[in-house]
Amino acid sequence: MPNTMSLRASTRRIHCSKLLHPTTYLHTRQTPKVPVGWRQCRAVASTASAERVLFPGALNSKFTNEMAFIRPSTHKAIPTYRVMDQYGQVINKEVGVDTEDEEALTLYRNMVCLSIMDLLMFEAQRQGRLSFYMMSAGEEGIAVGTASALDPSDVIFCQYRETGVFLQRGFTLDQFMNQLFANKEDLGKGRNMPVHYGSKELNIHTVSSPLATQIPHAAGAAYALKLQNQQQSDKPPRVAVCFFGEGAASEGDFHAALNIAATRQVPSIFICRNNGYAISTPTSDQYRGDGIAARGAGYGIDTLRVDGNDIFAVRRAVKEARRIALENGGKPVLIEMMAYRVGHHSTSDDSFAYRQKVEVEDWKRRDNPITRLRKWLEGRGVWDEDKERELRSSLRKKVLAAFDKAEKMKKPPIASAFEGVYEEITEEQKQHIEELRDILQRYPKEYDIDQHEGGIESLSQLLEKK
Amino acid sequence: MPPSLSPVRTLSRCLLRPQSPIHPRCQWHPSSIRQASAAAGARLNGTVEFDSTPILQHTSRAALANPELPPDVRNGQTKRINLYTAVNEALRHALQTDERVLVFGEDIQFGGVFRCTMNLAGDFGTDRVFNTPLSEQGLVGFAIGAASEGMKPVAEIQFADYVYPAFDQLVNEAAKRRYMSGSTGYNCGGLVVRMPCGVVGHGALYHSQSPEALFTHIPGLHVVIPRSPLQAKGLLLSAIQSNDPVVFMEPKVLYRAAVEQVPVDAYHLPLDKAEVLKSGKDLTVVSYGTPLYTCAAAISAAEKDFGCSVELIDLRTIYPWDRKTVVDSVKKTGRAMVVHESMMNAGVGAEVAATIQEQAFLRLEAPVKRVTGWATHTGLSFEKFIIPDVTRVYDAIRKTIEY
């Protein structure tokens, strides 16, 4: 169609020269003259006098004759929502906090328990008694606060620094220790690295090491919940919640997940723990936008930035997010929880190689979720130094007791190395199990078979099973 | 497309086919161009005729004689359909019988670029059959999440060539989900990832690949490749029913070309069995998917020319695969050959050959021959030189028999 081609080419040329013409800039209110040919062309999609563009890719966009690039630097940063200040004072007394004293005490005890467990396990790893550990220091409020504001039936996907979620939901100290020691009572059957907890009973999916892979899982799980919410009107509706760090948000899976969550309108809450570092990488090397929250709107997702050291803000934000997520069948919500990673990334990391010790000490002293809630509790007169000392010493004893118990327990059966790859053991696996059994029988001194529950017998039992 | 079809019929089919200009990938018509490019004097290459090949069941009676079909299906009716229609019928049956089944992927809703999901969105609603954003890692991750919460998602990757963005999700998450979750019981067993694979005559680098060998190196995944409409329907239904994640690869050149009698009723075919398509006593040829047609043509020419008898085995399930059927066959014939489209190094043929060597060493009378794609990419104009054709399989049979 040569006519159309030449028409489009010429109008485009006219349009360009129009833009270059100074009057276009000086009198922005004046409607630029649109060439007749162009008007006819556009009439297919819109009327000549329409204010809206009506391109299918951006239906709500209006025309402008002012060429103004959107400059992120000129926008104000998204504010950080908080309920109480760092001295534990509630800022808006009229609104107050919607947490009863008793519940606040429970949250406080759980946060302290988490921090004590973290310190002891960190030490245990340093003594070589654990292979690996990751602390939650500085982020206890995010995990504990979020879990406390959700329904126990809501499905949670974690990254790895959300031990507080498990604790708040009722994962016992024994269960934590069994996982850390990968002993025979470990729900993961001794297959995963420490801190990769999981519990179907508590509706928390097992943690896996690859970063951000859990974000699209949460979107898919939320879609499943959405259909189940529709089908089972007798049961209360549920949401899926997903945690990830600001570093993980650079992965393609983050983009994929938020986009698909928005297009499928799933009831999910995406919670970013922005603690300033991804191992050694500061946020300035991670992104140049206004954090993670600024991306939410780009996906068409309701978004909030919250002070992660303020457990009341965390709880209120999550409660409201849950309400929004279930609106009209479902829609995703993004919350960016601001925090500071007080501890090292993991026991395999010495963070003072890339940040000043004084910076960490400063954060520890200035503000953290535990001391902030403690100040609030003291302000209410429900907490004091004696209670604090008593709590800490009793928690320490409990953790150490669970630790000793788990450390003494046997390892899982060797059969667990093969089971669960598929629902059934394959023929190929049977052959491999037989070969392993043969090796273990002929070289018994080369292996610590007796450490494992059932010894070599577990392999024989697996082979007999069909 | 069989050369016997008149040009007029070809044209009218082409016009009837719903066209969508949304995406350039939609312009794909998997018709076999290989016949058209056959050399003028060719005796071997260019003889793969879909309307007479022994690989396909051309009569209702032959289709229903399959002992793997349950008795009620064997007493039922059949219908002559092509492979994409068979996939469509399997999906339709799954959606109808199990409300947990979801079908989604890129451009699924209007019927799919290969028509495999035709009319499903209209009949089952866009809650269960829907388009996803153009993101392979996203849609596979989404499927894993949905499967982990009890759904049975059948996700589609538009071309196997584009599965790599989802590789992490398939390898690190889908395959390991049950294992890493231990006794908590979380798994994504309901997951099926469908993807069109293989050469199509003009697919070049990114519409021709067969990445099955990459998935056979992953414990936890089933990898299935059907050879025909009847197989596709039964294997896909088994894949959806399976409690393990399944990578289901559909040879796209067969979508329209392979037409056979397929039982109207639903049925399941086993996910752990190879099938002996033709018995013989001098040589075992192991293959799967499209090359089976090449093998059948080469075998018939070779048997005529050399007076030998060749056994042909379809692996069907590429991993975990049926070692016993293959090894038993080689123990009988003493010679073996593996044929596949993807390249030789660390391909499926390497595993099959190694297993034969290990388990039938004393019976082998010749080295196990591998006829595969060469160690290169599928350059647009070179496809016919790269992918195993009838001549190369014929010649490999000759060399192995004469060794």
Side-chain angles (χ1 to χ4, degrees):
Chain A
M1 291 181 289
N3 277 337
T4 321
M5 284 305 289
S6 64
L7 177 71
R8 291 188 63 182
S10 65
T11 49
R12 207 172 283 160
R13 246 197 327 269
I14 291 166
H15 197 65
C16 282
S17 64
K18 204 76 191 162
L19 280 173
L20 289 170
H21 202 270
T23 54
T24 318
Y25 293 107
L26 294 172
H27 310 285
T28 46
R29 275 188 200 162
Q30 182 193 326
T31 321
K33 278 187 183 169
V34 179
V36 181
W38 185 249
R39 215 182 286 163
Q40 280 169 344
C41 255
R42 255 193 358 96
V44 181
S46 152
T47 57
S49 57
E51 300 263 299
R52 296 272 159 98
V53 179
L54 277 186
F55 289 120
L59 284 174
N60 293 323
S61 172
K62 281 186 178 180
F63 280 119
T64 175
N65 46 18
E66 183 187 2
M67 190 177 69
F69 283 85
I70 309 280
R71 286 181 186 271
S73 54
T74 61
H75 284 250
K76 267 196 224 160
I78 296 171
T80 303
Y81 173 69
R82 66 173 184 176
V83 171
M84 62 174 164
D85 62 19
Q86 63 196 72
Y87 308 105
Q89 300 289 324
V90 174
I91 295 154
N92 189 336
K93 297 267 183 336
E94 276 174 35
V95 180
V97 300
D98 30 31
T99 306
E100 299 297 322
D101 289 357
E102 201 44 53
E103 188 170 20
L105 282 168
T106 311
L107 300 175
Y108 182 70
R109 287 191 195 103
N110 280 340
M111 285 201 285
V112 173
C113 179
L114 176 55
S115 74
I116 286 174
M117 185 167 85
D118 272 356
L119 283 172
L120 292 173
M121 294 309 111
F122 190 83
E123 279 308 309
Q125 197 281 334
R126 285 287 182 261
Q127 292 169 16
R129 293 165 81 181
L130 281 181
S131 60
F132 180 76
Y133 195 74
M134 295 181 106
M135 312 215 292
S136 301
E139 295 168 64
E140 298 93 338
I142 298 171
V144 171
T146 300
S148 72
L150 294 169
D151 190 88
S153 66
D154 291 334
V155 175
I156 300 182
F157 290 81
C158 295
Q159 180 165 298
Y160 47 63
R161 217 181 294 286
E162 295 87 6
T163 305
V165 169
F166 286 86
L167 194 65
Q168 178 65 28
R169 281 218 163 174
F171 211 63
T172 63
L173 286 175
D174 283 337
Q175 286 175 316
F176 281 120
M177 298 303 143
N178 292 337
Q179 201 284 330
L180 295 173
F181 280 107
N183 64 26
K184 68 187 177 80
E185 298 288 323
D186 170 22
L187 293 174
K189 295 195 173 185
R191 292 165 183 159
N192 304 316
M193 280 177 80
V195 194
H196 292 52
Y197 311 112
S199 168
K200 195 167 190 175
E201 211 182 316
L202 304 176
N203 290 309
I204 314 174
H205 284 258
T206 306
V207 171
S208 73
S209 305
L211 286 181
T213 48
Q214 78 277 14
I215 316 179
H217 297 173
Y223 192 67
L225 298 180
K226 175 178 177 164
L227 297 186
Q228 288 160 15
N229 290 347
Q230 285 168 5
Q231 286 159 2
Q232 307 164 345
S233 49
D234 53 323
K235 288 187 185 161
R238 308 196 282 162
V239 300
V241 180
C242 182
F243 289 91
F244 50 92
E246 92 284 350
S250 296
E251 293 280 2
D253 281 311
F254 165 85
H255 159 69
L258 266 73
N259 199 30
I260 199 167
T263 58
R264 293 317 300 170
Q265 289 288 286
V266 302
S268 57
I269 307 173
F270 296 101
I271 296 179
C272 178
R273 296 176 291 97
N274 191 336
N275 61 18
Y277 289 94
I279 305 189
S280 72
T281 308
T283 51
S284 56
D285 290 346
Q286 201 63 249
Y287 53 73
R288 279 297 156 102
D290 179 18
I292 308 303
R295 300 179 197 171
Y299 294 107
I301 293 179
D302 292 4
T303 305
L304 184 70
R305 175 174 283 162
V306 175
D307 182 344
N309 283 343
D310 178 350
I311 196 164
F312 296 132
V314 169
R315 277 166 55 81
R316 197 176 273 162
V318 172
K319 269 185 193 160
E320 177 61 8
R322 192 177 186 278
R323 192 192 62 74
I324 296 169
L326 287 169
E327 249 175 17
N328 304 324
K331 67 197 254 195
V333 182
L334 173 65
I335 303 177
E336 184 181 27
M337 307 273 197
M338 308 312 289
Y340 184 83
R341 196 193 76 210
V342 175
H344 300 299
H345 165 69
S346 72
T347 48
S348 309
D349 171 51
D350 174 14
S351 67
F352 301 130
Y354 49 81
R355 62 179 183 184
Q356 299 285 317
K357 203 165 185 170
V358 57
E359 176 188 325
V360 179
E361 289 305 321
D362 191 36
W363 267 100
K364 267 189 194 167
R365 201 171 40 247
R366 184 170 57 192
D367 189 23
N368 77 67
I370 298 179
T371 48
R372 218 196 272 195
L373 182 59
R374 183 180 165 182
K375 284 171 188 163
W376 182 84
L377 287 168
E378 285 172 350
R380 300 280 296 174
V382 293
W383 200 252
D384 55 39
E385 192 55 42
D386 288 344
K387 283 179 178 161
E388 180 77 14
R389 208 176 305 120
E390 199 184 322
L391 174 70
R392 286 188 175 268
S393 108
S394 80
L395 284 173
R396 214 181 134 81
K397 275 180 204 149
K398 278 183 193 164
V399 172
L400 286 174
F403 182 86
D404 284 338
K405 198 164 120 195
E407 195 177 26
K408 289 192 185 94
M409 233 180 270
K410 279 199 168 192
K411 297 267 172 241
I414 304 171
S416 290
F418 293 93
E419 281 175 315
V421 175
Y422 294 93
E423 192 180 31
E424 306 286 345
I425 293 290
T426 64
E427 290 300 318
E428 182 190 14
Q429 286 184 309
K430 279 185 185 162
Q431 205 185 328
H432 292 181
I433 294 165
E434 268 173 40
E435 283 190 35
L436 174 62
R437 184 175 59 173
D438 177 54
I439 288 284
L440 296 179
Q441 275 166 344
R442 292 191 295 116
Y443 299 89
K445 289 186 178 165
E446 305 295 326
Y447 303 91
D448 293 326
I449 300 170
D450 292 336
Q451 280 192 349
H452 290 270
E453 181 79 356
I456 211 162
E457 267 310 291
S458 79
L459 292 178
S460 305
Q461 282 164 9
L462 189 57
L463 285 173
E464 283 155 22
K465 208 164 72 179
K466 179 59 199 174
Chain B
M1 190 162 302
S4 62
L5 285 183
S6 72
V8 176
R9 199 176 143 199
T10 316
L11 180 67
S12 67
R13 264 225 211 143
C14 206
L15 290 173
L16 279 173
R17 190 183 302 146
Q19 303 284 328
S20 167
I22 302 168
H23 192 277
R25 287 187 197 168
C26 299
Q27 290 160 8
W28 280 91
H29 304 145
S31 59
S32 173
I33 283 189
R34 280 184 290 182
Q35 272 74 34
S37 59
R43 183 176 72 91
L44 298 166
N45 282 344
T47 56
V48 177
E49 290 182 14
F50 285 100
D51 51 358
S52 63
T53 175
I55 301 291
L56 295 168
Q57 306 298 349
H58 302 289
T59 66
S60 182
R61 183 185 292 189
L64 295 175
N66 187 339
E68 284 179 342
L69 296 175
D72 55 321
V73 173
R74 294 179 68 178
N75 293 327
Q77 298 287 309
T78 64
K79 182 163 69 167
R80 221 176 107 80
I81 56 172
N82 62 19
L83 198 141
Y84 83 65
T85 312
V87 169
N88 184 280
E89 289 199 354
L91 294 174
R92 175 169 290 276
H93 176 78
L95 284 161
Q96 230 153 24
T97 50
D98 192 341
E99 66 172 11
R100 295 172 299 169
V101 174
L102 305 174
V103 175
F104 53 84
E106 296 155 11
D107 306 306
I108 284 298
Q109 219 163 294
F110 87 110
V113 298
F114 288 114
R115 321 315 291 141
C116 290
T117 51
M118 282 267 272
N119 301 323
L120 297 181
D123 295 352
F124 297 99
T126 49
D127 272 355
R128 297 182 63 202
V129 182
F130 53 87
N131 288 341
T132 63
L134 218 161
S135 166
E136 284 76 13
Q137 66 192 106
L139 76 93
V140 171
F142 186 87
I144 293 169
S148 302
E149 281 302 319
M151 305 307 278
K152 284 188 162 289
V154 185
E156 182 185 293
I157 302 285
Q158 203 159 66
F159 285 86
D161 311 59
Y162 305 127
V163 73
Y164 307 113
F167 213 60
D168 184 31
Q169 286 286 354
L170 282 168
V171 174
N172 275 330
E173 297 295 338
K176 296 177 175 58
R177 204 117 195 97
R178 181 189 298 278
Y179 189 77
M180 75 167 192
S181 299
S183 61
T184 65
Y186 276 123
N187 68 80
C188 59
L191 174 70
V192 179
V193 181
R194 293 176 45 240
M195 59 188 90
C197 69
V199 296
V200 71
H202 51 290
L205 282 73
Y206 306 109
H207 298 84
S208 303
Q209 297 176 39
S210 293
E212 66 274 2
L214 299 174
F215 293 110
T216 63
H217 203 62
I218 315 300
L221 294 179
H222 287 271
V223 184
V224 182
I225 305 186
R227 66 172 182 271
S228 71
L230 190 150
Q231 293 290 316
K233 184 171 171 181
L235 289 171
L236 182 52
L237 282 171
S238 296
I240 295 170
Q241 191 184 45
S242 165
N243 285 325
D244 292 317
V246 181
V247 172
F248 195 84
M249 302 173 73
E250 298 159 5
K252 57 183 165 296
V253 75
L254 303 179
Y255 272 142
R256 286 165 194 276
V259 183
E260 73 177 336
Q261 296 289 346
V262 177
V264 174
D265 298 329
Y267 56 94
H268 295 89
L269 293 174
L271 284 189
D272 56 354
K273 289 274 178 293
E275 190 181 354
V276 180
L277 294 183
K278 172 189 175 304
S279 65
K281 54 185 176 30
D282 301 322
L283 166 68
T284 300
V285 176
V286 181
S287 190
Y288 51 87
T290 321
L292 285 166
Y293 295 85
T294 315
C295 292
I299 288 169
S300 104
E303 286 185 334
K304 211 181 294 168
D305 294 355
F306 316 134
C308 59
S309 148
V310 181
E311 185 148 308
L312 179 59
I313 295 179
D314 177 5
L315 278 187
R316 298 199 287 189
T317 303
I318 317 301
Y319 192 77
W321 62 288
D322 183 359
R323 288 174 162 79
K324 190 172 181 301
T325 300
V326 172
V327 171
D328 284 352
S329 169
V330 180
K331 279 181 180 165
K332 183 179 72 175
T333 61
R335 292 180 171 86
M337 211 173 97
V338 197
V339 185
H340 56 71
E341 283 184 9
S342 54
M343 83 154 178
M344 187 180 290
N345 189 64
V348 173
E351 180 59 34
V352 173
T355 303
I356 291 171
Q357 175 271 129
E358 208 172 64
Q359 298 185 15
F361 183 68
L362 293 175
R363 305 293 186 93
L364 278 180
E365 291 169 39
V368 181
K369 180 82 182 160
R370 286 179 282 166
V371 184
T372 70
W374 304 125
T376 178
H377 306 290
T378 320
L380 179 70
S381 37
F382 314 112
E383 184 187 299
K384 58 181 178 293
F385 298 110
I386 296 167
I387 302 306
D389 56 11
V390 181
T391 310
R392 278 178 58 199
V393 177
Y394 173 90
D395 186 61
I397 293 174
R398 165 189 269 169
K399 280 183 178 156
T400 310
I401 295 282
E402 290 173 355
Y403 185 81

